[in-house]
Amino acid sequence: MADPGATPTLAGRRRDPAYFRFLERDGVDWDAWWDVLSGRVAGTIFRGALAPDVCERTCRRFWASPLTVSPPQAVRSTDRVAGPILVSSGSLDAYLDASERARPGLDAIWEGPGPTLPDLLEDCRTHLAGLGVKLRPAEHEGRQAAVFKVRSRANSETFGLLPHDDAPHGWMKPHLAGFEVIRVRPVCNALTCLENGPGGELVYWNAAPGPEDRRALGLPPGSYGYPLEALEGVERITLEIRPGDVYVFDGGNVHAVAPSGRPDVRRTVALWSTGLLDERTVLQWA
């Protein structure tokens, strides 16, 4: 007999094995990236897409940049971010103002011999153009969003990021009304690992919850994270993340950053959101 006080298993959409997997490549394969954006596979990872010296140099510049600050509602005092923060307490204009102010500082973090992340993104833009697809920053009334930000968290004995999803129902706020990103499907997360120690893996579950699934767990609107008990028995992928890796995945599935047990080790990434606005347009924003 089921325990009436037990946490129910998280429902949500389950996907078949052909979709629920990560394509792994040595170096960059933009066709695999396109497979994720097109909804054919859950994710892909490019191993060693950035050289160790590029990662090390970029980290040094990130930590030295005047743009690097403690983010709002930081979980740990050592958490830092460079770039605009999309928050419900602000306005879309405030976010676009912050994007504009941050752009020169973000560009400066990557200066030097490459290939760097901006170089890779230019390669991606060229590849997609060959398919008749345009990659561009998300816009609102002629103003552009930032195309990435850089963020660092100290690893710990607990999850670096709790199990959560980034589907539109979870992060869409009233102040984003009219922003074209609300029409993107699927919303994909893209990251470049710059530094990471042992642990800190990406944990990715075969569950894409909707608002009704959150209600079934008694989670209030706007709350963050799913209880681990609700994910017991749900199929999952654990993906090792190393400096230099670039990866993208469907953010609608529940995912988390695994613990490392090493609070002295930092996990620093460049990250952004991306996805199809229509069959000929890919948006990017952070």
Side-chain angles (χ1 to χ4, degrees), residues 81-103 106 136-140 143-149 171 173 175-177 179-181 271-274 283-286:
V81 65
I85 303 293
L86 206 72
V87 295
S88 59
S89 59
S91 67
L92 181 52
D93 281 338
Y95 163 71
L96 293 169
D97 289 343
S99 294
E100 187 172 342
R101 289 193 302 269
R103 197 166 289 119
L106 287 171
R136 64 170 176 81
E139 298 177 351
H140 181 71
R143 305 179 68 196
Q144 292 186 344
V147 293
F148 58 82
K149 57 177 171 270
W171 58 263
K173 307 298 181 184
H175 72 282
L176 295 180
F179 196 14
E180 61 180 349
V181 301
L271 67 159
W272 64 97
S273 297
T274 187
L283 298 186
Q284 180 174 352
W285 72 99

Side-chain angles (χ1 to χ4, degrees), residues 187-269:
V187 175
C188 296
N189 296 351
L191 302 95
T192 299
C193 180
L194 298 172
E195 58 180 341
N196 194 30
E201 299 94 346
L202 173 69
V203 186
Y204 192 80
W205 283 269
N206 192 3
E212 66 283 357
D213 302 309
R214 294 183 60 84
R215 287 193 294 269
L217 289 174
L219 299 175
S223 62
Y224 178 82
Y226 296 98
L228 285 173
E229 314 88 81
L231 294 164
E232 290 183 5
V234 179
E235 181 185 14
R236 74 181 191 179
I237 296 169
T238 301
L239 192 69
E240 182 183 3
I241 303 298
R242 310 166 195 150
D245 292 345
V246 177
Y247 53 112
V248 61
F249 57 89
D250 182 349
N253 276 43
V254 177
H255 54 279
V257 173
S260 71
R262 290 278 306 277
D264 58 313
V265 174
R266 299 184 298 218
R267 188 181 195 274
T268 303
V269 297

